[in-house]
Amino acid sequence: MRYDHGGGLLAAHLKSLGVNTVFGIVSVHNLPLVEAVETDPALRFVPVRHEASAVNAADAHGRARGSIGCALTSTGTGAGNAAGSLIEALSAGTAVLHVTGQVESAHLGSGRGFIHETKDQAGMLAAVSKHAATITSTREAGRVLRQASAAALTAPGGPASVEWPIDLQYAAQEDDGGTHPAPGPPVPDPSRLAAARDLLATARRPLIWAGGGANTARDQLRDLLETTGAGLLTSNSGRGSVPEDHEQVVGNFATTPAARALLADADLLVTVGTHFRSNETADYGLHLPGAHIQIDVDAAALGRVHPATHALHGDAAAVLPRLTEAARPAGPDWTDRVRRVRAEVRAALHDGIGPQAAICDALAAALPRGSVVARDVTIPSSSWGNRLLPVHDPRGNVFPRGGGIGQGLAMGIGAALARPGEPTVVIAGDGGLAVHLGELLTLAQERPRLTLLVFNDGGYGVLRNMQATYTERRSGVDLFTPDFARLAEACALPYARIGDAGEAAKVIDAAVASDGPTLVEVDLAALGPMKTPFTPPVKIPTR
């Protein structure tokens, strides 16, 4: 197949992947690619205001659709700006095709200071991507794009970066259309699987812990859960793998006292695609059962954090049914206890967040089942958004898994454009929103059906709480905050305010029902403090 330029080849490739929206910033070093995407009637180009936002939006767009996202950036500083968001996609294992420009091929690596040139851009991209490659000729561009996309989509997924010299973008392309075969899923050792089945058959107090790797095995996980009568704990990434209104789903509450007691009394733990991150295991201090069946498609994850009695290297959707065949029901007292713990941990958190509970309740009531809630790193997200606000579909569970602040709005925009007929909500703090405040202009321009909840406490509240708990100093946490009503007006965005718990339902109902964007400021000074102030689960040395 012949294309007049690289843009035509890229557009054809994206359509073959089912991509319909591309996020990026136009540049002299990616102009042919942007022009081709924008002029193709089957594709939409969304001009964000920062390259990091392009990758965040593409990442969330893919998450919300259950597919791959695409971001276009410029070379040098532009590619460097995208690096932090590539780290997020790498942490989350989400498929992103990141195509970035590069200087003319004749000047690659020359160090002459050619405009937008940077030292070892390929090495930088390799450090923050699952896969990185350089297009070096017009005959290999199609193959490089296909290999990169296959790498991004192969479990465990991640971002794939391709740098494309500008002279080769403008040149005519010859593509043989050859396919790049994806490797098949790993299959567990039969003897290990048989031993795991025997162990599961004897368990009478089992627990299951689901991570992000369980999200592609939802039906199979639910079958195992209901056959065994086990309780289901989840990481933040595994939320929604079984809908959170299921009576056996304890959820993302593993470090609570009641869940710790369950873990202490369990006679078996089955984990599915979870990596036991530090913030979800009390910095690896959580006591877990010794009898442990671990399923993961990533061989490096097996036994890495918690010893696995039976490590099963395989795809969860294929392995779980084999375990379910051998499962026996837990004792009824155990399943009843799971239900009680489920209710107990939710009631305790609901009480502890004080007036913010009204906002959580209003969101749960207003949002259709499975809606996207994109949560930036902020106190409402870390305390109740990541636990109490129900998630029933993992594609609606969008948050920065790497923990980086400021990514929520771009993620919300990407997710909202992936589901134009459904409402999307973004939970952000005033400090995090300021990191990429320019994306308010993208929100105003693209006008997705998105409610942006800005929790305004005049700075970095979580660190303020942390300093108040451990020190007498207050350093770097108090920030100038704009007048959000006037800011929304300047951006042609509808605005509303919540300053009292009694206002939450009315304001949120109206914003979610709107067919476009709304900025809702939650005035935390007026709303009042949480009953239990939130501090992050990190260790501070005592003096």
Side-chain angles (χ1 to χ4, degrees), residues 69-120:
C70 181
L72 297 181
T73 68
S74 182
T75 189
T77 305
N81 285 345
S85 297
L86 289 168
I87 292 172
E88 163 55 29
L90 189 62
S91 298
T94 52
V96 176
L97 177 61
H98 168 227
V99 181
T100 189
Q102 185 50 288
V103 302
E104 293 180 13
S105 53
H107 300 297
L108 275 175
S110 65
R112 296 182 180 183
F114 196 89
I115 186 170
H116 294 179
E117 178 188 11
T118 188
K119 178 183 177 182
D120 192 15

Side-chain angles (χ1 to χ4, degrees), residues 377-380 382-383 405 457 459-470 477 533-538:
V377 178
T378 189
I379 287 177
S382 298
S383 58
I405 193 172
D457 62 2
Y460 299 134
V462 66
L463 291 164
R464 187 183 294 143
N465 288 350
M466 188 172 168
Q467 290 178 7
T469 300
Y470 296 106
V477 295
F534 177 81
T535 55
V538 296

